[in-house]
Amino acid sequence: MENKYDVVIVGAGPAGSVAGFCLSKQGKKVLIIDKENFPKKKLCGGLLTEKDINFIKKIFGQIDLNDFIDSSHKAFGIYHQTLGKIREYDSPDDKLYFVHREIFDKYLLDQAIFAGCIFKKATIVKSNKNFVITDTDQKFYGDFIIGADGA
């Protein structure tokens, strides 16, 4: 069956791409589906901790973090134009890294594809425990379906 995979991953953000990378490295046939083309604009979620950076290095080896890190800080605040300061965070022991999500997400997806994942742009309209159907009526089967759509 042509549309049969060991794993179908819905969502090509960091969680989906890293899962796809790891599974492909283990010899699994993996399909990643996302409704967007990459690189894509992504406003939220551009903060990584020291723990995140160490995890990325462990998974992908020595990579040049400067390719997607915008800046690093020990503290940050969230502000609203009307309400003012909403939240502050201070990390005396670890750095906090702000990344360009457009570049970061594309890097992770590229690594997953390089490891053997197939990527398809599609919108999922129906899913079941062992298949997904796209908006173009394509049906993809997987022994496992991973929902990594960020919802």
Side-chain angles (χ1 to χ4, degrees), residues 65-138:
L65 300 172
N66 294 319
D67 288 344
F68 45 81
I69 291 179
D70 177 53
S71 60
S72 64
H73 306 275
K74 293 227 176 241
F76 73 92
I78 299 172
Y79 296 85
H80 184 271
Q81 66 185 25
T82 307
L83 302 174
K85 185 179 0 180
I86 297 172
R87 176 109 166 117
E88 261 187 1
Y89 181 81
D90 191 359
S91 175
D93 299 323
D94 296 321
K95 282 187 179 177
L96 303 166
Y97 299 89
F98 291 87
V99 299
H100 296 284
R101 281 293 302 273
E102 190 173 338
I103 298 167
F104 182 63
D105 289 11
K106 174 98 170 66
Y107 171 83
L108 295 177
L109 179 58
D110 287 347
Q111 293 302 306
I113 292 168
F114 184 72
C117 288
I118 309 274
F119 173 74
K120 294 201 181 289
K121 180 188 179 298
T123 300
I124 301 300
V125 294
K126 183 178 180 187
S127 63
N128 198 324
K129 65 180 181 179
N130 67 341
F131 68 83
V132 296
I133 300 175
T134 69
D135 55 343
T136 58
D137 289 327
Q138 290 182 288

Side-chain angles (χ1 to χ4, degrees), residues 6-116:
D6 295 316
V7 181
V8 175
I9 300 172
V10 180
S17 293
V18 171
F21 175 86
C22 293
L23 290 163
S24 288
K25 287 294 215 176
Q26 295 297 315
K28 303 298 182 195
K29 183 178 178 189
V30 180
L31 171 67
I32 300 176
I33 301 173
D34 198 284
K35 64 183 176 185
E36 302 290 336
N37 282 318
F38 282 72
K40 68 176 182 175
K41 295 277 187 204
K42 181 73 173 164
L43 178 61
C44 63
L47 175 73
L48 300 175
T49 65
E50 193 84 32
K51 184 178 178 181
D52 296 325
I53 295 295
N54 291 334
F55 176 76
I56 292 165
K57 287 179 180 177
K58 181 178 179 181
I59 297 294
F60 297 104
Q62 291 303 315
I63 59 174
D64 187 0
L65 300 172
N66 294 319
D67 288 344
F68 45 81
I69 291 179
D70 177 53
S71 60
S72 64
H73 306 275
K74 293 227 176 241
F76 73 92
I78 299 172
Y79 296 85
H80 184 271
Q81 66 185 25
T82 307
L83 302 174
K85 185 179 0 180
I86 297 172
R87 176 109 166 117
E88 261 187 1
Y89 181 81
D90 191 359
S91 175
D93 299 323
D94 296 321
K95 282 187 179 177
L96 303 166
Y97 299 89
F98 291 87
V99 299
H100 296 284
R101 281 293 302 273
E102 190 173 338
I103 298 167
F104 182 63
D105 289 11
K106 174 98 170 66
Y107 171 83
L108 295 177
L109 179 58
D110 287 347
Q111 293 302 306
I113 292 168
F114 184 72

